[in-house]
Amino acid sequence: MDPLLTVFEAADRLNTSVRFVRRLIAERRIEFVKVGRHVRISESALIAFVVAGTVAPLTAYDVSGRAA
């Protein structure tokens, strides 16, 4: 089982603010676990969020519309 991170730890790992992570949770854009009143995010959910938002770089063909 993955370690469960607090909102503060998740924000630190993403290098973002705590407010951003709380907004992700409120909008249900990231998977989370409720432990009583507390919210925890698994490391795998954090990695999945980052992977889902990863954008592939453009190639020379994408920019010019023809092969280089």
Side-chain angles (χ1 to χ4, degrees):
M1 184 169 147
D2 289 338
L4 296 176
L5 306 172
T6 65
V7 173
F8 297 103
E9 292 169 337
D12 187 48
R13 299 255 173 111
L14 290 175
N15 199 24
T16 61
S17 67
V18 173
R19 183 176 179 178
F20 176 72
V21 175
R22 290 196 188 280
R23 192 175 79 206
L24 292 177
I25 292 166
E27 295 174 356
R28 296 183 184 258
R29 293 174 49 200
I30 193 166
E31 187 178 290
F32 61 93
V33 178
K34 292 276 291 190
V35 182
R37 298 180 347 172
H38 305 284
V39 175
R40 300 290 185 260
I41 302 169
S42 67
E43 275 193 62
S44 60
L46 210 56
I47 292 168
F49 174 75
V50 171
V51 169
T54 301
V55 178
L58 293 175
T59 63
Y61 181 81
D62 293 332
V63 174
S64 67
R66 59 184 206 269

